[in-house]
DNA sequence: CATAGTTCCGTAAACGTTTACGGTAGCCAG
DNA sequence: CTGGCTACCGTAAACGTTTACGGAACTATG
């Protein structure tokens, strides 16, 4: 005899009463409920997840899908760990558990979803590393599986999404650099599948145009979102006949490699070139400290969770005014990497 | 009508045959199997996970438990993403899925296990951030849930474990530095709960003793395993009356902050002090490049998976000679941060 | 032709829960 | 005493699978 039956037998009451007692249902004497809870603790009983979700049609699990093995966004684990923490803070209130669904770099993300999610593994999903065209979105929308994406996509099934405010960052960075006299400003972008590259570069172009300046095509640097990519960018940049006087880095970790390549060439950020980047724990420990855009990842996680829950019928009424779409603002952290000014002539 | 019944009705055969056909059981005509598979693809049928695991008593899911919100090990996401990738490479062969179980920093890890794992959520577990005394180990051992830990623990229930070879690193680093004339060598360690600190420091002490040298207590630096921790260490170190001439850093990211604090004081690694650390993608992009110990995280993941499977009855015979315990060797990557020599006098 | 063996398939039980439903006992009002 | 209400509890069905078992239809063997 196992499970709830064992508990019921031990207490000499029916399994129905045991179940009701454990789940806080009303139709049970407070005295017996107390006995049940005590016995459950004593015997170490925990309800079987499969039995429960089979009956209820719900798993109380939310999946956060991330890809392993590759670096798509260059957002390190610090990034995810912080976001996770915010998400969990919300889910804990509803007895939901968060797990990270790890899609191997060997497997197509949509196949992965079909394999694991379509079997009723999770009640809802958070998608990260959203692609510019993302078939996962259609897949989930067709099946009516609640989800929210971290990152906008051209694929639009009316899904909720949150994203970082790359437009705001582009606008603020360009305005700031132009105000300091820069006229030839470089920007970086990740590879073609990543939507934020388009969003960011387009807005940089607009912001420059508003000042009557062009975004020169050879000043748009494409790279992998890691240290080596930043290193390569700096090398390419310095090899130009007429290098730019300022640059905006879109990824976090590329700053490290970028600084190093500059250093090897005797070029110093803030003195010889203006650099603006993204915050990461190391940003403050570069020489000079990186001027960068930061946001609260924990708060972002909280917002992700609330937006997802507002898309789930069972929790919708708890979050009446959670935004379905939102760009998350970033704040500027002043460093000394962008103090280089260009005088008008 | 839903699920397998719908499929069976559509094909006008029994659900038993459908199930056998889908699961590759022998007692089914190849012709009908073909029809079933086609119909399943057409109707988009995927078996329900709860129903299946309720019946089989197995979930085909392996959990990799990590803690969110806090930085315990200072191993970034790059660390986990790479390990995950190796683990998945093995699991894919057995149709096992890997998910990361995210334990909030707000919750006790053992309570977490009780809540989610004890309900039959996963068939096996990989534990990371193993503590010096870790109650999770007892909990899992009592319940006969197969698991392997990444990191040794004093808590010994005969569980399999893998760990990085901190002894080998300590020995090689100390020998190398002593050979270059250093006699006052500092080491770092994480906070008290983390076992590797004891392992590492103890071996450093032994290695020094073999050369007739002491490990001075005030040259053991304790810090958080992040950039800020490294910064603080360097500040404390430079403030000493008689700073050491060499240091071995046990965490990956502390090197960045350490370098920065040195730089601010005009002290240069390789020229004024010898530094040896741990590999991370940024190690090569520091100035000068960090001499560090590296290992293949993907291979480590593969070994973790194989060791876990060899502890699971259902897969034991596939991995007859997977080691139950192993320290994973690290290789030295030569940089220029440890070229500083001290002449005997 | 009888028997045994093989191949394939259908039936039904089982996994561990939750929950709709009905029933009993006690109480109170008429 | 009757009827209705409340409080509590037991029964059994249901969730979607897998699989042991048995049986039907053939084939092969003697």
């Amino acid at each position: 005899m196992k499970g709830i039956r064992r508990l019921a037998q031990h207490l000499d009451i029916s399994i129905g009463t045991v179940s009701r007692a454990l789940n806080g249902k009303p139709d049970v004497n407070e005295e017996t409920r107390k006995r049940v809870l005590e016995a459950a603790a004593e015997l170490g009983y925990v309800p079987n997840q499969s039995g429960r979700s089979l009956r209820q049609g719900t798993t109380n699990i939310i999946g956060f899908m991330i890809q392993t093995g590759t670096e798509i966004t260059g957002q390190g684990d610090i990034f995810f760990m912080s976001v996770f923490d915010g998400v969990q803070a919300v889910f804990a209130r509803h007895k939901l558990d968060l797990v990270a669904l790890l899609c191997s770099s060997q497997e197509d993300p949509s196949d992965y979803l079909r394999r694991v999610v379509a079997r009723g593994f999770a009640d809802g999903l958070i998608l990260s590393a959203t692609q510019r065209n993302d078939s996962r979105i259609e897949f989930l929308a067709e099946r009516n599986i609640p989800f929210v994406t971290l990152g906008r996509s051209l694929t639009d099934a009316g899904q909720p999404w949150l994203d970082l405010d790359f437009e705001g960052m582009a606008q603020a960075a360009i305005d700031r650099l132009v105000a300091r006299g820069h006229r030839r400003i470089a920007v970086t972008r990740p590879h073609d599948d990543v939507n934020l590259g388009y969003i960011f570069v387009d807005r940089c172009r607009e912001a420059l145009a508003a000042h009557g300046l062009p975004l020169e095509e050879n000043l748009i640097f494409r790279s992998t979102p890691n240290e080596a990519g930043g290193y390569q960018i700096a090398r390419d940049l310095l090899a130009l006949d007429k290098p730019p006087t300022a640059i905006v880095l879109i990824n976090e970790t590329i700053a490290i490699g970028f600084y190093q390549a500059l250093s090897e060439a005797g070029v110093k950020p803030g003195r010889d070139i203006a650099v603006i980047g993204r915050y990461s724990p190391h940003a403050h420990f570069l020489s000079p400290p990186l001027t960068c855009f930061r946001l609260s990842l924990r708060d972002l996680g909280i917002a992700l969770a609330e937006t997802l829950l507002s898309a789930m019928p069972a929790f919708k009424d708890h979050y009446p005014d959670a935004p379905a779409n939102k760009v998350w603002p970033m704040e500027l952290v002043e460093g000394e990497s962008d103090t280089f000014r260009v005088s008008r002539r």
Side-chain angles (χ1 to χ4, degrees), chain A:
Chain A
M1 189 77 68
K2 284 169 51 183
I4 202 173
R5 288 208 158 69
R6 171 156 147 64
L7 199 54
Q9 175 178 298
H10 180 258
L11 288 163
D12 199 31
I13 58 179
S14 80
I15 61 170
T17 304
V18 174
S19 175
R20 280 189 296 265
L22 291 173
N23 293 356
K25 292 297 166 67
D27 268 13
V28 48
N29 188 305
E30 280 309 318
E31 171 63 24
T32 49
R33 186 193 303 277
K34 187 154 157 287
R35 285 179 54 219
V36 170
L37 290 175
E38 280 171 2
E42 181 191 352
L43 300 187
Y45 168 78
V46 289
N48 177 283
Q49 177 73 28
S50 302
R52 166 184 290 225
S53 32
L54 179 58
R55 171 62 217 234
Q56 305 198 122
T58 179
T59 62
N60 288 342
I61 291 172
I62 305 291
F64 195 124
M65 181 172 169
I66 56 185
Q67 272 120 325
T68 69
T70 57
E71 292 181 89
I72 292 189
T73 61
Q75 297 155 337
D77 51 338
I78 308 295
F79 184 91
F80 282 121
M81 294 301 161
S82 306
V83 175
F84 289 159
D85 208 48
V87 173
Q88 281 178 315
V90 176
F91 285 172
R93 296 205 289 264
H94 303 287
K95 301 203 180 305
L96 292 170
D97 277 310
L98 180 71
V99 307
L101 300 176
L102 307 170
C103 176
S104 162
S105 55
Q106 312 293 322
E107 186 170 13
D108 179 75
S110 288
D111 288 347
Y112 178 80
L113 280 184
R114 201 181 324 273
R115 222 159 41 74
V116 13
V117 176
R119 20 185 86 185
F121 180 84
D123 293 344
L125 277 183
I126 301 174
L127 262 43
S128 69
T130 312
Q131 302 274 299
R132 185 165 163 83
N133 294 293
D134 204 320
S135 56
R136 297 177 298 174
I137 293 172
E138 295 159 349
F139 177 81
L140 293 173
E142 278 173 12
R143 312 215 161 210
N144 277 329
I145 298 174
F147 71 104
V148 57
T149 69
L150 174 51
R152 282 160 281 183
S153 173
L154 290 187
T155 308
D156 183 8
Q159 75 280 4
W161 54 259
L162 263 62
D163 203 354
L164 310 193
D165 184 14
F166 293 110
E167 287 99 333
M169 170 176 168
Q171 186 74 50
I174 294 295
D175 286 351
R176 184 177 174 93
L177 291 172
V178 169
R180 297 186 174 189
H182 296 279
R183 304 180 60 81
R184 306 194 62 251
I185 301 173
V187 300
T188 75
R189 58 168 304 178
H191 69 76
D192 283 349
D193 288 344
V194 181
N195 204 17
L196 75 89
Y198 297 86
I199 294 171
F200 177 68
V201 169
D202 286 351
R203 187 55 168 270
C204 283
R205 184 178 289 116
E206 292 172 22
L208 283 167
H211 294 287
L213 298 170
L215 175 56
E216 302 175 28
E217 281 306 315
N218 65 339
L219 295 187
I220 303 175
F221 292 92
R222 211 169 292 242
S223 81
T224 56
N226 53 19
E227 292 86 349
Y231 187 86
Q232 189 58 46
I233 288 176
R235 295 295 294 260
D236 292 346
L237 179 148
L238 293 173
L240 290 177
D241 288 342
K242 205 162 178 299
T245 61
I247 188 168
V248 188
L249 308 175
I250 190 61
N251 291 112
E252 291 96 333
T253 45
I254 62 176
I256 295 179
F258 189 80
Y259 265 54
Q260 172 62 10
L262 291 188
S263 165
E264 290 174 6
V267 177
K268 191 168 163 65
R271 188 191 66 189
D272 309 313
I273 185 174
V275 181
I276 297 181
R278 289 271 302 281
Y279 175 81
S280 191
H282 60 249
H284 188 66
F285 297 99
L286 294 173
S287 245
L290 182 68
T291 293
C292 54
F293 284 87
R294 178 171 65 179
L295 75 162
S296 167
L297 295 173
R298 193 165 190 280
D299 289 344
L300 176 65
I302 290 175
L304 272 173
E306 292 182 345
T307 296
L308 174 60
L309 289 179
S310 75
M312 296 172 65
F315 302 100
K316 188 194 294 273
D317 36 343
H318 288 83
Y319 301 93
D321 40 39
N325 306 305
K326 182 170 162 65
V327 289
W328 203 260
M330 297 189 267
E331 61 165 343
L332 184 73
V333 180
E334 298 250 5
E336 296 162 26
S337 62
D338 65 336
T339 51
F340 175 52
R341 290 171 179 270
V342 176
S343 53
R344 285 287 169 87
R345 26 175 177 151

